[in-house]
Amino acid sequence: MTATQPVDRQHQKSTGLLNHIGLKVTGGKPFSDLPRRRKVAISQLPMFFAVLFACTFALFSNAQAIYGDSLFTIGVILVLLNTVAAFVVPWQKFRREFTYLAIPAAGMIAASLIAVGAYSWLSGLTLLIAFPIFWFAWSGAMPRLTLLLSFVLPLATTLLQLWHNGIPFTVVNVVRPLLIPLVILALASTTVIVEYNTSLKSRMLRESLANSRRQTNLLNAVLNAANVGVVVVDRDGNDLLMNDIQRFQHRHAIPPEYPDPTEDKLLVRSVSPSFEASPELMPSDRRPVLRAIRQEEFTDELIALGPLHDPIYHSTSARALFDDSGAYDGAVIMFKNVTPMIEASKTKDRFLANVSHELRTPLTSILGYLELLEDDVQMTPRAVKSLDVISRNTNRLLSMVNDLLTVAAGRHQISVSEMDFGAVVQARLESMAPRAAAAGIELNQGVLCHEQVLGDALRLGQVVDNLVSNSIKYTDRGGSVTVEMDCTEDEIRLHIIDTGRGISEADLSQLFVRFFRSDDAQLSGLPGVGLGLAITRELVMAHGGTITAESEVGRGTKMTVGMPRKAVELDASSTADPRQSTTGTHS
């Protein structure tokens, strides 16, 4: 144990005792928070008790002489009246803040009278002047006047003591009591300096707090204007900030039976691939806020808040916060209301499904009657040629309608079995050869990999058809389309390489977006609705594969499909929602 430890403990005990007494006097509130009248009354009490002790000592010293001195008696009466005024006068009603300083001002006069009247028997009472002087100094109202009074008033009191008691004004008699004015001046100076520093820090703190509030209000206004709900939590998961929009969204997730629910009681639901809110509440460990507290980061994950009959869909994102040392310090979670987009998507899908069904029925009927007409041996060559044009365009229109139905259905049915991917590619190329020849395109078959993979032969054949037919469509007569495969330890890759018009870098980034058609494609007049490549990508991803495009304007395009050698394990009859690949991961 060091020598300073007992001293530190004694200091802590004394400080604790003073704090305890202070809390008892103020009723457990900080002194600055008390009403002004109560603060004035408490500030007057030290002076009152000091005079009370002086009166008590006078009783045991020379009571008759001390109390017989009119100056002493007037000073005591003035202190009593001062104390009553401190307790009774409603100081908070005065317009001027420092009106209450009339109490310490009168206290200075009373202290001087008491010190002068009792000088012969109680010479140390000049120190009573320190109480009102300290009050003035701590108020910060008139620091220069306070310092002047702290020296002049005790000095004048000591001179009056000599005069009142008939003591000659010799150098020794005048200089001897100068220590008291100097001590009071030093203490007053220290108090003024401390009060100035305290006031300065308090003002800076208030300005900092006001700036912080302005920044908070500004941030809240910006976030509300951006129409995004934001929650900021600290490292322990406690809320630090929640803007107004998020408060509104949060209220929608509160169940009626739990007015103040915990996170696991909130109505938070996962969303199915078809954008339907789950009947069951989302498990606690998968909820965005709790995941963010575990330092997980995610982007655009879809959830639904609220009752099942009235869900509000949100795209959620989270990012972790770190302090200067790099340690985790909290997280920011954002909730973007995407309900209008979800409802618009549902409405669009319903519209496409209804329109496509209505179109498919008459088209099927038209194709049936065309087949009957084509079987008529009495048809003239010109009529046969016309029927061929009608049949070809009707089939094209039916293909477009089928694409729309596929999109509207929202999912592709995948029937998984072992298959030879190379054989599927070869069969599709054979069926596409007449179309390529008719367009004047050279269709080349390169090396194919005859590997067994798990997949849907029909759907993968549709992938090959879409890619090859797309290359033929956008390659000019005399060009070529080459289809080849290569195998690695991890995957089998299919390449479709054409010498067509190519795709600009800007269009390449949107190549697999539904209903996207480049400006060149639209100006070319070639038929299409911009669904072929989007459906192709969805089918590839449903098999756990990847698809990429490389292109240069005027030099052609290379499409690459990567299929895992050990395919993703799927059920024998599973479904894959194409929207999973375009809307992000769902919680």
Side-chain angles (χ1 to χ4, degrees), residues 43-74:
S43 299
Q44 173 61 16
L45 286 178
M47 179 71 173
F48 172 76
F49 285 119
V51 172
L52 181 62
F53 291 146
C55 292
T56 303
F57 290 143
L59 292 174
F60 297 97
S61 178
N62 192 336
Q64 186 175 358
I66 295 174
Y67 283 102
D69 191 296
S70 59
L71 295 179
F72 180 85
T73 304
I74 292 172

Side-chain angles (χ1 to χ4, degrees), residues 322-342:
F322 300 93
D323 59 20
D324 294 338
S325 64
Y328 174 73
D329 199 33
V332 178
I333 308 97
M334 303 181 68
F335 295 78
K336 173 68 175 177
N337 187 345
V338 294
T339 304
M341 288 186 287
I342 297 298

Side-chain angles (χ1 to χ4, degrees), residues 475 497-503 550-558:
T475 299
I497 307 164
D498 65 55
T499 59
R501 305 169 187 178
I503 306 167
E550 302 171 35
S551 186
E552 185 176 344
V553 175
R555 301 194 63 179
T557 302
K558 178 180 180 181

